[in-house]
Amino acid sequence: MHIRDRSIEQHHLIETPAGENEPERSLALMLGGGGARGAYQAGVLRGLARLFPQLNFPIITGISAGAVNTIHLAAFEGNLAASTDALAALWMALTPEQVYDVRATHLLGNLVRWGTRLLSGGIRAGPEPMRGMVDTDPLRQFLGRSLVRRTDGSLPGIDQNIQRGTLQAVALSATSYTTGHSMTWVQGRDIALWQRPQRRSQSTPLTVEHVMASSALPMLFPAVRVGDQWFGDGGIRLTSPLSPALHLGATRILTISTKYRPPHGANGTTTHGYPPPAQVLGVLYNAIFLDQIDEDMILLGKVNRLLADLPSEKHQGMRIVGNMVIRPSKDLRRLVRELETRLPAPLRYLTRGLGTRQTRSPEFLSLILFEREYIGRLIELGEADAQAQAERFDRFLQQPVHA
């Protein structure tokens, strides 16, 4: 596979020799970010696996929280139904204590160090650099226990699924704080790597460290070192979230978004007066992790329509790429407000200081509420939404593949 340099960045136009992509090998799954809302993706996938027992995604790409789901699916040695059951169980086993260090001494210590550095103009910086507001080493250990099958930290299930033919490629994206570029790590068979302005790919065996890097929420979670660079959340720099799947040969892409889209004309007011920091952070994280996916799908739809209006002999080897999105049918932000008191006391104290109780729609909390009841409701909603979208998804699978 090779890609037309003059058009891929703006239009997702992929030039592929006719017959290179077989229909059953070119269905891709794209999983975006959303922190704790990634449990919704697990619910959707479990619902689809039960409705479509033979379903398989040869190409899987993930960003941020979606990286956790992506690596689990790629490394699991079993069919999609068994894999998604295990994925839902993994999410249900999560607690705040298994994601970040919630001890009061640790959180307050971080705040003191940040405050001292800021108020002293960096003079009293100390030998330790400023890292994230919370320590996510508990999540690293949890994922290591749940996913890793070797002492070297590798995930042998990925290679086994590639050799078995059920997986063609898996990709995780992160943002290099060292270079400012977007990096997509790829593991697969017969992969043609790509390099574009501000983003590049690299073939490598994927590990838990790649997952941690892709899901490191800026400022909140610490950056992760991979090789000689420091990385943060993949959604920061990757302005075209669908592009990894396209580069890997997808002709159909199922995208599972964790962003609720309110009915047209609904009142979007969530706070009155000056917005608290929590509201600003929520809007910022949405813009970074979720809005880009919607914009990318709109752009892809426009390009598809342009190609559809041209005779095939004028496509110059480019193809139409089908895309379907499944998103929450209910506002997850409203749900999280009901469960805010379940947060560990030190973390609840911190988030309330940021103003989470001053907004009717605490977006920020929906990212960090790794609480059993919330996770369970997200999974249930995902399964219900998969059921509601079953006929539409079946039509999507039956669409002809364009060469």
Side-chain angles (χ1 to χ4, degrees):
M1 179 181 74
H2 62 286
I3 299 168
R4 295 181 66 88
D5 293 341
R6 63 188 176 89
S7 55
I8 178 63
E9 291 297 314
Q10 290 78 28
H11 302 303
H12 295 311
L13 301 183
I14 307 296
E15 181 177 356
T16 306
E20 181 176 323
N21 289 300
E22 301 172 9
E24 65 276 10
R25 290 184 56 79
S26 57
L27 175 63
L29 174 67
M30 188 275 164
L31 300 172
R37 290 182 289 186
Y40 172 79
Q41 296 173 342
V44 171
L45 289 167
R46 186 162 75 169
L48 291 177
R50 290 175 174 177
L51 292 165
F52 301 89
Q54 303 304 315
L55 180 63
N56 181 55
F57 296 101
I59 301 169
I60 313 174
T61 70
I63 308 171
S64 193
V68 176
N69 297 331
T70 294
I71 208 71
H72 174 90
L73 294 174
F76 191 86
E77 300 172 35
N79 61 25
L80 188 63
S83 176
T84 55
D85 281 342
L87 180 59
L90 182 148
W91 277 98
M92 289 300 296
L94 272 179
T95 64
E97 293 79 7
Q98 291 173 316
V99 178
Y100 32 67
D101 193 331
V102 298
R103 292 174 298 171
T105 53
H106 183 82
L107 290 174
L108 291 176
N110 269 355
L111 290 177
V112 169
R113 283 190 291 271
W114 279 55
T116 300
R117 179 185 287 263
L118 291 171
L119 292 174
S120 69
I123 296 175
R124 298 183 179 180
E128 188 69 17
M130 291 176 66
R131 300 181 184 270
M133 293 179 65
V134 297
D135 179 7
T136 54
D137 193 58
L139 177 61
R140 177 181 283 104
Q141 296 178 28
F142 175 82
L143 292 177
R145 294 191 302 269
S146 303
L147 300 175
V148 176
R149 298 292 181 267
R150 289 179 179 169
T151 56
D152 62 359
S154 63
L155 304 168
I158 296 178
D159 268 337
Q160 291 173 11
N161 287 330
I162 292 172
Q163 294 300 321
R164 194 178 296 117
T166 57
L167 181 67
Q168 179 179 337
V170 55
L172 303 180
S173 297
T175 301
S176 172
Y177 291 141
T178 306
T179 66
H181 294 172
S182 175
M183 170 69 78
T184 298
W185 295 296
V186 184
Q187 186 173 349
R189 175 185 290 178
D190 301 327
I191 298 302
L193 298 178
W194 61 93
Q195 184 167 347
R196 296 292 180 269
Q198 307 302 321
R199 61 185 178 94
R200 60 187 295 263
S201 62
Q202 180 181 42
S203 177
T204 185
L206 296 174
T207 68
V208 168
E209 289 306 297
H210 295 102
V211 179
M212 294 296 297
S214 180
S215 56
L217 294 169
M219 305 304 290
L220 184 64
F221 293 172
V224 177
R225 186 168 186 171
V226 178
D228 59 353
Q229 297 184 40
W230 290 91
F231 291 90
D233 199 286
I236 300 173
R237 195 66 176 179
L238 187 59
T239 56
S240 299
L242 300 182
S243 61
L246 294 169
H247 281 291
L248 293 172
T251 56
R252 295 193 191 92
I253 305 173
L254 172 66
T255 301
I256 305 179
S257 173
T258 61
K259 181 182 179 181
Y260 169 74
R261 179 178 290 173
H264 181 70
N267 185 356
T269 302
T270 58
T271 186
H272 295 287
Y274 194 83
Q279 181 73 14
V280 176
L281 284 173
V283 173
L284 175 63
Y285 283 167
N286 252 355
I288 293 174
F289 308 129
L290 301 177
D291 293 351
Q292 292 288 356
I293 295 176
D294 288 342
E295 292 297 323
D296 215 20
M297 289 188 293
I298 291 172
L299 180 58
L300 180 58
K302 290 180 178 179
V303 174
N304 282 341
R305 289 191 292 274
L306 286 174
L307 287 177
D309 288 338
L310 292 173
S312 58
E313 62 270 16
K314 293 187 177 182
H315 286 188
Q316 302 182 46
M318 300 175 187
R319 67 175 183 269
I320 295 173
V321 179
N323 183 44
M324 175 180 170
V325 61
I326 297 178
R327 64 175 74 248
S329 58
K330 295 181 180 179
D331 192 343
L332 306 184
R333 301 169 302 178
R334 310 284 178 170
L335 171 61
V336 79
R337 186 172 177 82
E338 303 173 17
L339 303 172
E340 182 261 356
T341 57
R342 307 291 181 87
L343 278 173
L347 190 60
R348 186 170 68 247
Y349 181 82
L350 175 62
T351 57
R352 287 181 178 181
L354 293 172
T356 53
R357 294 177 70 86
Q358 297 171 243
T359 172
R360 294 195 302 271
S361 186
E363 192 88 51
F364 178 64
L365 279 182
S366 72
L367 299 170
I368 65 172
L369 187 61
F370 294 90
E371 193 278 326
R372 184 178 180 85
E373 184 173 351
Y374 178 56
I375 295 298
R377 291 195 193 182
L378 291 179
I379 292 174
E380 290 175 2
L381 178 62
E383 290 185 276
D385 288 347
Q387 178 71 50
Q389 296 288 333
E391 291 186 10
R392 179 169 166 249
F393 183 65
D394 187 50
R395 292 195 300 270
F396 172 72
L397 293 177
Q398 301 306 319
Q399 289 176 358
V401 173
H402 297 266

